[in-house]
Amino acid sequence: MTPPRTSSELSGAPAPSPARPRRWLLHTAVVGGLIALACSSHKTRTLEDVALESSDRFSSVLQGVVGDPDRAAAVGAVFATYQAEQQRFAADMADLKATALASYQAYDTTDEDFDALEEQLRSRREAFRDDIAGGIADLLAVLEPGEWTETVGLMLEEEARWKEANQ
Amino acid sequence: MDQRNQTGGSTTSFHQVLIIIFGSLFFAGGGNDPLAERVQDAVPDNDRGAKAVAEAAAIDEARGQDVTAVIAWHEEFFKVIGQPDAGETVVRAKIDEVIDQLEALERHQLSLRSDLRGHLEPSEWSEIFD
């Protein structure tokens, strides 16, 4: 007597690979996080708050992909340094953006004023480029091959769901 | 400034990180009402007023397009740096590209501001933005 066929056999779908349950767990965690974020959303949050929450999501997804608690902790520590840079930069940029907006709204602001502002912006963005590139290089150094790509892929899938939900 | 997440109560978008962190400005400000409506309320009903309203509508339209463009750059950015062979050089080059794109976008925003300013009296400008 042959054993009963599984649903995947009946449907003709390929049998789940050993990695698939782990991937489904990660998907569940991502969706759960998304719902938690939706519930915690509040009208008074600033855009900076939103960005930093998103960075927190990246950190938790990354640690979920790594899996092993010791390595996940090490990766988390590297990511925390990178996040601290993001927070410092976001605060710095908030001041500059407030200045830019005030300049935009002032009738007498000259082209030279805007040129100076743009120069400041470029300088800060380039400083941040150096920080973020270094931070990602540090992260890649502590990850196994494929973990970074898997994390970015999961975040992009999360974004696709976000877009779909907000259309 | 883009206000979509401050007013909608919706969850975060991963791609908003770039908007915030790289500080794309999305000029205009002055509240959530469309700029064209505020200009309409401030200008006389004549040819100059109509031109000002048209310029303000162009700013409103560009702002929406700019947000969409920045989100697309962010997606592209992560697709590139998420590749298995991506390293620090790739990340730096991609960020340089984004910085140039942001600068071009902001120059365009300022050009539109200049067009609007050309059709408004100082007192009308203050009424709209103060």
Side-chain angles (χ1 to χ4, degrees):
Chain A
M1 187 172 173
T2 57
R5 299 172 78 188
T6 64
S7 58
S8 62
E9 286 170 332
L10 287 169
S11 67
S17 68
R20 188 164 287 183
R22 183 165 155 259
R23 192 164 173 82
W24 270 110
L25 276 174
L26 283 170
H27 274 282
T28 305
V30 166
V31 172
L34 205 58
I35 292 167
L37 274 173
C39 293
S40 67
S41 292
H42 193 278
K43 287 181 180 179
T44 58
R45 284 187 312 147
T46 65
L47 285 172
E48 282 74 16
D49 292 336
V50 170
L52 295 172
E53 281 170 13
S54 183
S55 182
D56 285 341
R57 288 286 310 126
F58 199 104
S59 177
S60 64
V61 170
L62 178 61
Q63 289 180 69
V65 167
V66 170
D68 174 75
D70 290 340
R71 285 192 56 243
V75 168
V78 174
F79 196 89
T81 306
Y82 169 67
Q83 263 186 315
E85 291 289 347
Q86 283 188 332
Q87 287 171 355
R88 183 185 58 74
F89 192 83
D92 199 28
M93 285 303 294
D95 289 343
L96 188 52
K97 281 195 280 186
T99 303
L101 188 58
S103 302
Y104 184 98
Q105 293 177 343
Y107 184 82
D108 293 328
T109 307
T110 64
D111 288 347
E112 289 73 25
D113 294 331
F114 284 123
D115 287 343
L117 197 56
E118 194 62 62
E119 207 167 299
Q120 275 183 281
L121 270 170
R122 175 166 276 274
S123 163
R124 291 193 198 189
R125 285 170 177 158
E126 287 177 349
F128 186 62
R129 172 203 58 202
D130 296 341
D131 287 342
I132 198 174
I136 290 174
D138 291 344
L139 268 176
L140 290 172
V142 294
L143 293 173
E144 297 290 340
E147 289 175 338
W148 171 250
T149 300
E150 184 177 353
T151 302
V152 171
L154 284 167
M155 289 302 289
L156 289 171
E157 286 174 21
E158 182 169 311
E159 175 67 15
R161 282 192 292 276
W162 183 87
K163 274 193 211 165
E164 200 173 326
N166 284 278
Q167 272 175 355
Chain B
M1 289 256 181
D2 175 39
Q3 303 288 322
R4 64 174 70 177
N5 251 330
Q6 287 171 294
T7 56
S10 58
T11 186
T12 185
S13 161
F14 171 46
H15 294 312
Q16 298 230 9
V17 173
L18 189 74
I19 298 172
I20 314 313
I21 300 300
F22 283 90
S24 185
L25 297 178
F26 303 115
F27 287 113
N32 290 325
D33 294 336
L35 185 60
E37 284 180 16
R38 289 186 281 137
V39 170
Q40 176 100 57
D41 292 342
V43 295
D45 187 14
N46 58 22
D47 184 53
R48 181 178 65 82
K51 285 177 180 165
V53 171
E55 297 294 357
I59 291 174
D60 286 332
E61 189 182 349
R63 187 162 41 161
Q65 290 169 351
D66 291 347
V67 173
T68 303
V70 172
I71 288 173
W73 298 339
H74 191 246
E75 191 165 335
E76 170 66 16
F77 172 72
F78 268 90
K79 279 180 180 165
V80 169
I81 72 165
Q83 295 301 308
D85 56 348
E88 191 169 352
T89 307
V90 171
V91 174
R92 286 179 68 93
K94 200 65 195 165
I95 294 175
D96 276 337
E97 193 181 311
V98 170
I99 289 173
D100 288 343
Q101 287 168 316
L102 287 171
E103 199 167 285
L105 179 151
E106 286 157 3
R107 294 271 178 206
H108 181 59
Q109 290 169 343
L110 291 176
S111 163
L112 292 174
R113 173 193 181 275
S114 180
D115 292 343
L116 173 64
R117 188 178 179 278
H119 295 295
L120 294 174
E121 300 294 335
S123 61
E124 293 165 345
W125 184 273
S126 297
E127 189 180 336
I128 294 161
F129 288 109
D130 284 352

